[in-house]
Amino acid sequence: MKRQSKLQFTEEERADPTLEKPITKSEKAADKLEKAQSKIPKKKIKTKKRTFDAETGKAKVRLHFEEVDKPKPSSKLTHGIKKAPQRAALSSIHKKISEDEQDNVGLEAAHSTEKAGEFTVHRMQSAYHSHKLKPYRNLAKAEKKSIQADVNVLYKKSLRDNPQAASNPISRFQQKRAIKKQYLATHYGKGAKAAQTTATTAKSAVKKGADTVSKSAAAIAKNPKVLLIILALFLLIAVIGGAVSSCSVMFQGAISNVVSTSYTSENEELIAANDDYTALETALQNQINNIERDYSGYDEYRYDLAPINHDPHQLASYLTALQQYFKAIEVQGELQRVFEKQYTLTLTKTVEVHYRTETRMDTWTDEDGNTHTDTYTVEVPYNYYILNVKLTNKSINTVANSLLTTEQLKMYNVYLQTKGNKPLLFGGGSIDGSPSTDLSGVEFVNGERSGNQNTVDIALSQVGNVGGQPYWSWYGFNSRVEWCACYVSWVLNQAGYSEPKFAACQSQGVPYFSSNGRWANRGYSDIAPGDVIFFDWEGDGSSDHVGIVIGTDGSRVYTVEGNSGDVCKVRDYDLNSSVIMGYGLMN
């Protein structure tokens, strides 16, 4: 639907006290409409452009890309209808299982867990679909308010030119309705005349409305019962409207509870923004690593360094509370501002007076002319130059509390608590609630690589841990984060490896193994105990989860994983499972 430019007002109209406020509201509503329109997701389409070459006299067709709005996704109702056959099938299966589970406690427990998992997935899918519709809902609201504001201005202008038109409430209602009808016809009709034309057509609408009301008033004067019937109908409509409105508010409230707790930006934009922030942290780490090269000449370098890391959900929650819908390219300045608030690197030079022992010789001649040499030591003072390197990390949570308004901070805390209804977006483990795999009877097949059984033994010793506190606190976090990568790093460190140490799968773990020539894709046939296994739950080429390989029986791979349903547990997968992204080879 093509939208016209703002209504245009003359200096005389702007100076009119009766129009000043309506004009201001109209222009503000138009600005908000324009902003809402800019938030609609865009896509590039290939179009043909025909040009005429004056020299050859021939027409040429050139291809170019044009950016257009993405079409609005299907409504929640349509989306639900599409899913109906699948849910009906699942319901039938659950019904059949329920008939047989009464005498089987194990089956009943597994069935309950399965249904709980399906419910969680359904809720997450529903929330994701809702947030994709949000820019379009905001646009519809902004458009509605803009139309109301414009119609109100035109109505006020018409009343100014025709004071007698505002004779009674019914007259005003009819007049405003007629103006709105004319406005919409002009604003969105074929040909789309300029918005200024609407002001002219509104005058005729007011006149027609006034004539209609005059005829109606004459009819009522002849038969007063008609007025009573009309009033009764208005009362009935008001009662029914109130009831429907209450139901609508309840329904909208239920939906908004999910939508208002979800990240509103596209997944790829959230991940890109987080990767950009990680790049800033990597640059900071490189700066610290090169301190002694860039500041040479000191006798000693003293380091007091806080860990360089951040919680991706804190960053996503902050940006969403601040910007609502955003693209990564639009928040680069904000990322830099938060980064500078979070990290402070200070270099301080100090000079200490130290002493060194020097051996000296004293030569002298006695009275007989003999030469003698005496050796002695002295303490000689000298300046000892020290460069103190200090890095502090306030955490994004602290930064958010200092930068966000009270209302934004409330939103931030909600997003942080729900993780935007996308807990696995940044590689946050697994929502699997099933118990650990039983390794009894599993016969492991040895490959050519021996691996490291000590790593596996350390990993297995942690099975049953809930919450991951020993691992994320060891890594340097002050509060719980998605801890699967922290767990793997902790296990490797306990096994004697200084590297890799990573808290994010895709932006830190995968690049480490890839850049060091130690990466193998899914299907690699020589995995060994102690290797690191990376998972991609959504199949989008981005790692969501990580664990330690126990071994393989030739058809399945067995793992130990932290943060699998917030628990450390043993899992197993088909070697060719699509959720396996690849392996980090430890030797």
Side-chain angles (χ1 to χ4, degrees):
M1 183 177 290
K2 188 176 180 181
R3 295 173 180 84
Q4 306 303 310
S5 59
K6 302 176 184 177
L7 289 178
Q8 302 298 315
F9 304 103
T10 64
E11 291 299 325
E12 179 187 357
E13 290 171 340
R14 292 181 180 279
D16 190 332
T18 61
L19 297 179
E20 181 180 3
K21 192 172 182 180
I23 288 175
T24 300
K25 287 185 176 181
S26 173
E27 291 180 333
K28 285 184 177 180
D31 290 338
K32 289 182 179 179
L33 175 59
E34 185 176 339
K35 185 177 180 181
Q37 176 64 38
S38 68
K39 296 293 184 180
I40 296 296
K42 304 293 189 294
K43 68 176 182 179
K44 290 187 176 180
I45 61 173
K46 187 164 58 175
T47 60
K48 295 180 180 180
K49 185 177 182 180
R50 185 178 295 273
T51 58
F52 182 76
D53 192 328
E55 295 181 1
T56 62
K58 295 182 179 180
K60 293 183 179 180
V61 177
R62 295 183 178 178
L63 297 178
H64 71 284
F65 289 93
E66 181 179 344
E67 190 176 70
V68 298
D69 291 349
K70 283 186 178 181
K72 180 181 177 182
S74 59
S75 66
K76 290 200 69 180
L77 178 59
T78 304
H79 183 71
I81 291 172
K82 289 180 179 179
K83 293 288 185 179
Q86 177 184 348
R87 292 173 188 159
L90 288 173
S91 177
S92 178
I93 293 171
H94 287 313
K95 182 177 180 181
K96 182 62 179 174
I97 294 175
S98 298
E99 293 173 357
D100 300 327
E101 69 182 8
Q102 300 299 323
D103 299 324
N104 190 329
V105 176
L107 178 60
E108 184 177 359
H111 187 208
S112 298
T113 301
E114 182 185 0
K115 289 194 291 185
E118 289 173 3
F119 173 76
T120 302
V121 171
H122 170 64
R123 288 297 298 274
M124 291 180 67
Q125 289 175 339
S126 178
Y128 174 69
H129 187 73
S130 294
H131 97 263
K132 289 182 70 175
L133 289 170
K134 186 169 185 178
Y136 300 92
R137 289 196 301 271
N138 290 342
L139 177 61
K141 290 179 182 177
E143 193 168 28
K144 182 179 179 181
K145 290 183 178 179
S146 180
I147 291 172
Q148 290 174 341
D150 286 352
V151 169
N152 189 49
V153 172
L154 297 173
Y155 174 65
K156 295 288 186 182
K157 288 173 63 177
S158 298
L159 288 184
R160 183 192 64 172
D161 299 335
N162 301 277
Q164 71 281 2
S167 55
N168 58 68
I170 297 178
S171 174
R172 290 194 294 271
F173 172 78
Q174 290 281 6
Q175 293 158 26
K176 207 164 192 178
R177 185 178 178 183
I179 290 173
K180 185 174 182 180
K181 185 177 180 179
Q182 289 278 4
Y183 173 86
L184 292 176
T186 303
H187 203 62
Y188 296 103
K190 293 181 179 179
K193 296 180 181 178
Q196 184 65 31
T197 308
T198 309
T200 304
T201 58
K203 293 182 179 180
S204 62
V206 169
K207 189 176 185 304
K208 290 179 181 178
D211 293 342
T212 301
V213 172
S214 297
K215 294 177 181 178
S216 300
I220 292 173
K222 294 179 179 180
N223 191 354
K225 291 184 179 180
V226 174
L227 179 59
L228 294 177
I229 294 173
I230 292 174
L231 292 176
L233 287 173
F234 270 116
L235 181 60
L236 179 61
I237 291 170
V239 172
I240 295 174
V244 172
S245 176
S246 298
C247 294
S248 175
V249 169
M250 292 172 63
F251 176 75
Q252 291 174 1
I255 296 298
S256 64
N257 283 338
V258 176
V259 176
S260 63
T261 60
S262 302
Y263 297 143
T264 49
S265 300
E266 300 292 340
N267 287 359
E268 56 266 29
E269 299 299 338
L270 291 162
I271 292 172
N274 185 68
D275 289 346
D276 291 340
Y277 199 82
T278 301
L280 293 175
E281 293 177 321
T282 301
L284 175 61
Q285 183 63 65
N286 290 337
Q287 180 184 354
I288 293 173
N289 292 343
N290 295 320
I291 286 288
E292 295 179 25
R293 181 200 67 187
D294 297 335
Y295 297 86
S296 59
Y298 287 87
D299 298 298
E300 183 181 349
Y301 298 85
R302 294 177 182 175
Y303 296 92
D304 180 11
L305 305 176
I308 299 177
N309 53 52
H310 73 280
D311 183 337
H313 283 287
Q314 288 184 359
L315 181 62
S317 298
Y318 172 85
L319 293 175
T320 305
L322 185 69
Q323 303 272 13
Q324 289 300 301
Y325 184 87
F326 65 86
K327 293 183 178 181
I329 192 65
E330 299 171 347
V331 294
Q332 296 301 307
E334 193 60 39
L335 292 177
Q336 186 67 44
R337 182 168 79 125
V338 173
F339 181 80
E340 291 174 358
K341 291 281 187 180
Q342 180 181 359
Y343 296 104
T344 303
L345 178 65
T346 54
L347 305 179
T348 307
K349 181 179 73 174
T350 57
V351 180
E352 296 178 355
V353 177
H354 286 207
Y355 291 86
R356 59 173 174 265
T357 302
E358 294 184 359
T359 301
R360 296 182 179 179
M361 299 177 61
D362 185 19
T363 303
W364 55 280
T365 304
D366 60 17
E367 59 184 9
D368 299 323
N370 297 318
T371 301
H372 301 273
T373 300
D374 293 331
T375 301
Y376 62 97
T377 61
V378 295
E379 296 297 314
V380 180
Y382 68 95
N383 290 334
Y384 186 82
Y385 295 94
I386 304 167
L387 184 63
N388 299 281
V389 183
K390 182 178 179 63
L391 177 69
T392 59
N393 180 346
K394 292 183 178 180
S395 84
I396 294 178
N397 193 53
T398 302
V399 174
N401 279 275
S402 66
L403 294 181
L404 296 178
T405 65
T406 302
E407 192 62 31
Q408 290 171 340
L409 197 56
K410 290 178 182 177
M411 297 168 61
Y412 167 79
N413 289 323
V414 170
Y415 292 134
L416 192 58
Q417 184 176 5
T418 63
K419 291 182 171 56
N421 291 315
K422 300 179 182 180
L424 307 184
L425 182 63
F426 303 106
S430 166
I431 59 174
D432 182 83
S434 62
S436 282
T437 298
D438 186 359
L439 295 176
S440 302
V442 177
E443 295 184 6
F444 293 105
V445 178
N446 296 325
E448 295 182 6
R449 298 171 54 243
S450 59
N452 190 331
Q453 188 58 42
N454 182 43
T455 301
V456 175
D457 293 339
I458 293 171
L460 287 171
S461 71
Q462 302 302 305
V463 170
N465 176 278
V466 178
Q469 192 274 335
Y471 321 117
W472 51 255
S473 63
W474 164 83
Y475 196 94
F477 290 103
N478 296 322
S479 59
R480 184 194 181 283
V481 297
E482 304 301 345
W483 50 277
C484 57
C486 294
Y487 165 75
V488 168
S489 298
W490 180 89
V491 169
L492 295 177
N493 180 267
Q494 295 297 306
Y497 296 99
S498 60
E499 291 182 322
K501 182 180 180 182
F502 60 99
C505 301
Q506 181 61 30
S507 61
Q508 295 175 336
V510 173
Y512 170 82
F513 288 104
S514 299
S515 61
N516 285 281
R518 291 157 56 186
W519 175 262
N521 291 323
R522 178 180 68 247
Y524 179 67
S525 60
D526 197 24
I527 53 177
D531 282 344
V532 178
I533 180 170
F534 290 87
F535 299 92
D536 177 6
W537 300 134
E538 298 182 354
D540 57 1
S542 179
S543 179
D544 307 302
H545 186 48
V546 66
I548 299 288
V549 173
I550 298 174
T552 175
D553 61 3
S555 62
R556 303 188 70 76
V557 59
Y558 296 82
T559 65
V560 192
E561 302 165 22
N563 200 22
S564 180
D566 204 32
V567 181
C568 181
K569 63 178 66 170
V570 177
R571 300 287 304 278
D572 65 291
Y573 307 85
D574 186 286
L575 281 170
N576 296 312
S577 172
S578 60
V579 301
I580 298 175
M581 182 176 180
Y583 302 92
L585 310 181
M586 289 304 298
N587 58 20

Coordinates of all heavy atoms in Angstrom, one line a residue, residues 488-489 492 497-520 532 534 583-587:
V488 N 33.7 -27.3 29.3 CA 34.7 -27.9 28.4 C 36.1 -27.3 28.7 O 37.1 -28.0 28.8 CB 34.3 -27.8 27.0 CG1 35.5 -28.2 26.1 CG2 33.1 -28.7 26.7
S489 N 36.2 -26.0 28.8 CA 37.4 -25.3 29.1 C 38.0 -25.7 30.4 O 39.2 -26.0 30.6 CB 37.2 -23.8 29.0 OG 36.8 -23.4 27.7
L492 N 39.4 -29.3 30.2 CA 40.7 -29.4 29.4 C 41.8 -28.8 30.3 O 43.0 -29.3 30.3 CB 40.6 -28.6 28.1 CG 39.6 -29.2 27.1 CD1 39.6 -28.2 25.9 CD2 40.1 -30.6 26.7
Y497 N 45.8 -29.0 29.8 CA 45.9 -28.1 28.6 C 45.7 -26.7 29.0 O 44.8 -26.3 29.6 CB 44.8 -28.5 27.6 CG 44.9 -29.9 27.0 CD1 44.1 -31.0 27.6 CD2 45.7 -30.2 26.0 CE1 44.2 -32.3 27.1 CE2 45.8 -31.5 25.5 CZ 45.1 -32.5 26.0 OH 45.1 -33.8 25.5
S498 N 46.6 -25.8 28.5 CA 46.4 -24.4 28.7 C 45.5 -23.7 27.7 O 44.9 -22.7 27.9 CB 47.8 -23.7 28.6 OG 48.4 -23.9 27.4
E499 N 45.3 -24.4 26.5 CA 44.4 -24.0 25.5 C 43.7 -25.2 24.9 O 44.2 -26.3 25.0 CB 45.2 -23.3 24.4 CG 45.8 -21.9 24.8 CD 46.5 -21.3 23.6 OE1 47.1 -22.0 22.8 OE2 46.4 -20.0 23.5
P500 N 42.5 -25.0 24.4 CA 41.8 -23.7 24.3 C 41.0 -23.4 25.5 O 40.7 -24.3 26.3 CB 40.8 -24.0 23.1 CG 40.5 -25.4 23.2 CD 41.8 -26.1 23.7
K501 N 40.8 -22.1 25.7 CA 39.9 -21.6 26.8 C 38.9 -20.7 26.2 O 39.3 -19.6 25.6 CB 40.7 -20.9 27.9 CG 39.9 -20.4 29.0 CD 40.8 -19.7 30.1 CE 39.9 -19.2 31.3 NZ 40.7 -18.5 32.3
F502 N 37.6 -21.1 26.2 CA 36.6 -20.3 25.5 C 35.3 -20.4 26.2 O 35.0 -21.4 26.9 CB 36.5 -20.7 24.0 CG 36.0 -22.2 23.8 CD1 34.7 -22.5 23.6 CD2 37.0 -23.2 23.9 CE1 34.4 -23.9 23.4 CE2 36.6 -24.5 23.8 CZ 35.3 -24.9 23.5
A503 N 34.5 -19.3 26.1 CA 33.2 -19.3 26.7 C 32.1 -19.2 25.7 O 30.9 -19.2 26.1 CB 33.1 -18.1 27.7
A504 N 32.4 -19.1 24.4 CA 31.4 -19.0 23.4 C 31.8 -20.0 22.3 O 33.0 -20.0 21.9 CB 31.3 -17.6 22.8
C505 N 30.8 -20.8 21.8 CA 31.1 -21.9 20.9 C 31.5 -21.3 19.5 O 32.6 -21.6 19.0 CB 29.9 -22.8 20.7 SG 29.4 -23.6 22.3
Q506 N 30.6 -20.5 18.9 CA 30.8 -20.1 17.5 C 31.9 -19.1 17.3 O 32.7 -19.1 16.4 CB 29.5 -19.6 16.9 CG 29.6 -19.2 15.5 CD 30.0 -20.3 14.5 OE1 29.7 -21.5 14.8 NE2 30.6 -20.0 13.4
S507 N 31.9 -18.1 18.2 CA 32.9 -17.0 18.0 C 34.3 -17.2 18.6 O 35.2 -16.5 18.2 CB 32.3 -15.7 18.6 OG 32.1 -15.9 20.0
Q508 N 34.4 -18.2 19.5 CA 35.7 -18.5 20.1 C 36.2 -19.9 19.9 O 37.3 -20.2 19.5 CB 35.6 -18.2 21.6 CG 35.4 -16.7 21.9 CD 35.2 -16.4 23.4 OE1 34.8 -17.3 24.1 NE2 35.4 -15.2 23.8
G509 N 35.3 -20.9 20.2 CA 35.7 -22.3 20.2 C 36.0 -22.8 18.8 O 37.1 -23.3 18.5
V510 N 35.1 -22.7 17.9 CA 35.3 -23.1 16.5 C 36.4 -22.4 15.8 O 37.3 -23.1 15.2 CB 34.0 -23.0 15.7 CG1 34.2 -23.3 14.2 CG2 32.9 -23.8 16.2
P511 N 36.6 -21.1 15.9 CA 37.7 -20.4 15.2 C 39.1 -20.9 15.8 O 40.1 -21.0 15.0 CB 37.5 -18.9 15.6 CG 36.0 -18.8 15.8 CD 35.6 -20.1 16.4
Y512 N 39.2 -21.3 17.1 CA 40.4 -21.7 17.6 C 40.9 -23.0 16.9 O 42.0 -23.1 16.4 CB 40.3 -22.0 19.1 CG 41.5 -22.7 19.7 CD1 42.7 -22.0 20.0 CD2 41.6 -24.1 19.8 CE1 43.8 -22.6 20.5 CE2 42.7 -24.7 20.3 CZ 43.8 -24.0 20.6 OH 45.0 -24.6 21.1
F513 N 40.0 -24.0 16.8 CA 40.4 -25.3 16.2 C 40.6 -25.1 14.7 O 41.5 -25.7 14.1 CB 39.4 -26.3 16.5 CG 39.4 -26.8 17.9 CD1 38.4 -26.4 18.8 CD2 40.3 -27.7 18.3 CE1 38.4 -26.8 20.1 CE2 40.4 -28.1 19.7 CZ 39.4 -27.7 20.5
S514 N 39.8 -24.3 14.0 CA 39.9 -24.1 12.6 C 41.2 -23.4 12.2 O 41.9 -23.8 11.3 CB 38.7 -23.2 12.1 OG 37.5 -23.9 12.3
S515 N 41.6 -22.4 13.0 CA 42.8 -21.6 12.7 C 44.1 -22.4 13.0 O 45.1 -22.0 12.5 CB 42.8 -20.3 13.4 OG 42.8 -20.5 14.8
N516 N 43.9 -23.4 13.8 CA 45.1 -24.2 14.2 C 45.2 -25.5 13.4 O 46.0 -26.4 13.8 CB 45.1 -24.4 15.7 CG 45.6 -23.2 16.5 OD1 46.7 -22.9 16.6 ND2 44.6 -22.5 17.0
G517 N 44.3 -25.7 12.4 CA 44.3 -26.9 11.6 C 43.9 -28.1 12.3 O 44.4 -29.3 12.0
R518 N 43.0 -28.0 13.3 CA 42.6 -29.1 14.1 C 41.1 -29.3 14.1 O 40.5 -29.7 15.1 CB 43.1 -28.9 15.6 CG 44.6 -29.1 15.7 CD 45.2 -28.4 16.9 NE 44.6 -28.8 18.1 CZ 44.9 -28.3 19.3 NH1 45.7 -27.2 19.4 NH2 44.3 -28.7 20.4
W519 N 40.5 -29.0 13.0 CA 39.0 -29.1 12.9 C 38.6 -30.2 11.9 O 39.3 -30.4 10.9 CB 38.5 -27.7 12.4 CG 37.0 -27.8 12.1 CD1 36.3 -28.0 10.9 CD2 35.9 -27.7 13.1 NE1 35.0 -28.0 11.1 CE2 34.7 -27.8 12.4 CE3 35.9 -27.5 14.4 CZ2 33.5 -27.8 13.0 CZ3 34.7 -27.4 15.1 CH2 33.5 -27.6 14.4
A520 N 37.6 -30.9 12.3 CA 37.1 -32.0 11.4 C 35.6 -31.9 11.4 O 34.9 -31.7 12.4 CB 37.5 -33.4 12.0
V532 N 36.9 -32.5 21.3 CA 35.8 -31.6 21.6 C 34.7 -31.7 20.5 O 35.1 -31.6 19.3 CB 36.3 -30.1 21.7 CG1 35.1 -29.2 22.0 CG2 37.3 -30.0 22.9
F534 N 31.3 -30.2 18.7 CA 30.4 -29.0 18.6 C 29.1 -29.4 17.9 O 29.1 -30.2 17.0 CB 31.1 -27.9 17.8 CG 32.3 -27.3 18.4 CD1 33.6 -27.9 18.3 CD2 32.1 -26.1 19.2 CE1 34.7 -27.3 19.0 CE2 33.2 -25.6 19.8 CZ 34.5 -26.1 19.7
Y583 N 34.2 -31.5 15.0 CA 35.0 -31.8 16.1 C 36.3 -31.0 16.2 O 36.9 -30.6 15.1 CB 35.5 -33.3 16.0 CG 34.3 -34.3 15.9 CD1 33.8 -34.7 14.7 CD2 33.7 -34.8 17.1 CE1 32.8 -35.6 14.6 CE2 32.7 -35.7 17.0 CZ 32.2 -36.1 15.8 OH 31.1 -37.0 15.7
G584 N 36.7 -30.6 17.4 CA 38.0 -30.0 17.7 C 38.9 -31.1 18.1 O 38.7 -31.8 19.2
L585 N 40.0 -31.4 17.4 CA 40.9 -32.5 17.6 C 42.0 -32.1 18.6 O 42.7 -31.1 18.4 CB 41.5 -33.0 16.3 CG 40.5 -33.3 15.2 CD1 41.3 -33.8 14.0 CD2 39.4 -34.3 15.6
M586 N 42.1 -32.8 19.7 CA 43.0 -32.4 20.8 C 44.4 -32.9 20.7 O 45.3 -32.5 21.4 CB 42.4 -32.8 22.2 CG 41.2 -32.0 22.6 SD 41.5 -30.2 22.6 CE 42.7 -30.1 23.9
N587 N 44.6 -33.9 19.7 CA 46.0 -34.3 19.5 C 46.0 -35.0 18.1 O 45.0 -35.1 17.4 CB 46.5 -35.3 20.5 CG 45.6 -36.5 20.7 OD1 44.8 -36.8 19.8 ND2 45.7 -37.2 21.8

